[in-house]
């Protein structure tokens, strides 16, 4: 509410207010936060700083994916890693699922460390589908488990444009543009 501040000064003051608010929430509301019987370690990322997921790794991936197919093909380590990832990826609208398989050398050397039931659920994770009982809404997670649908089946926008889902043996990818 102060007048006469530069844009930079105003932004710095807002960041301090947000930081103090998050500190207070952490200390008062989330002090004894537990999930599934375990203490949750709450971390507050200060305002104005990029969060950890968008650090150097993000920039490296953005740089690689911003290259043309020809440039990528010339970089053998990068393209091989991308192909490896694509074999374990199921890309849908709003969701990208990475799941270990049981046949490639990497997954054989690094076996699944979680329950087979969880991996089975992840491999068959349902896609959004219109609700038959509530027009204009989508099914709930529980309902979608009971009504199996093909991933990305209900995408009239992309289907009308001639895009869609590539579901080969190794690649499950939803194409939403000509570039992809």
């Amino acid at each position: 509410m102060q007048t006469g501040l530069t844009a930079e000064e105003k932004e710095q003051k807002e960041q301090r207010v947000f930081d103090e608010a998050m500190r207070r929430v952490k200390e008062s509301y989330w002090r004894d936060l537990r999930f599934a019987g375990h203490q949750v370690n709450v971390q507050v990322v200060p305002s104005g700083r990029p969060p950890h997921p968008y650090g150097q790794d993000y920039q490296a991936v953005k740089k690689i994916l911003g290259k043309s197919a020809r440039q990528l093909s010339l970089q053998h380590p990068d393209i091989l890693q991308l192909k490896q990832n694509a074999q374990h990826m199921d890309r849908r609208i709003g969701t990208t699922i990475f799941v270990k398989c049981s046949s490639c050398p990497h997954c054989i050397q690094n076996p699944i460390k979680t329950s087979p039931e969880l991996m089975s659920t992840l491999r068959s994770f349902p896609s959004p589908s219109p609700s038959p009982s509530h027009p204009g809404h989508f099914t709930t997670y529980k309902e979608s488990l009971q009504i199996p649908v093909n991933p990305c089946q209900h995408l009239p926008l992309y289907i009308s444009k001639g895009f869609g889902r590539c579901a080969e043996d190794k690649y499950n990818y939803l194409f939403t543009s000509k570039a992809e």
Side-chain angles (χ1 to χ4, degrees), residues 41-86:
N41 181 11
V42 178
Q43 298 290 323
V44 176
V45 177
S47 299
R49 294 187 195 159
H52 296 293
Y54 303 107
Q56 295 172 344
D57 291 340
Y58 174 80
Q59 292 302 326
V61 169
K62 183 177 178 183
K63 182 179 176 184
I64 290 169
L65 295 179
K67 294 181 179 180
S68 69
R70 182 167 186 259
Q71 289 172 322
L72 280 175
S73 67
L74 298 175
Q75 292 184 331
H76 298 289
D78 293 338
I79 194 68
L80 292 175
Q81 183 66 43
L82 288 171
K83 286 180 179 180
Q84 169 73 18
N85 290 344

Side-chain angles (χ1 to χ4, degrees), residues 25-43:
V25 168
K26 176 184 175 182
E27 291 175 0
S28 58
Y29 293 105
W30 295 336
R31 178 183 45 225
D32 297 319
L33 184 63
R34 300 182 86 65
F35 180 77
H38 299 282
Q39 179 71 34
V40 175
N41 181 11
V42 178
Q43 298 290 323

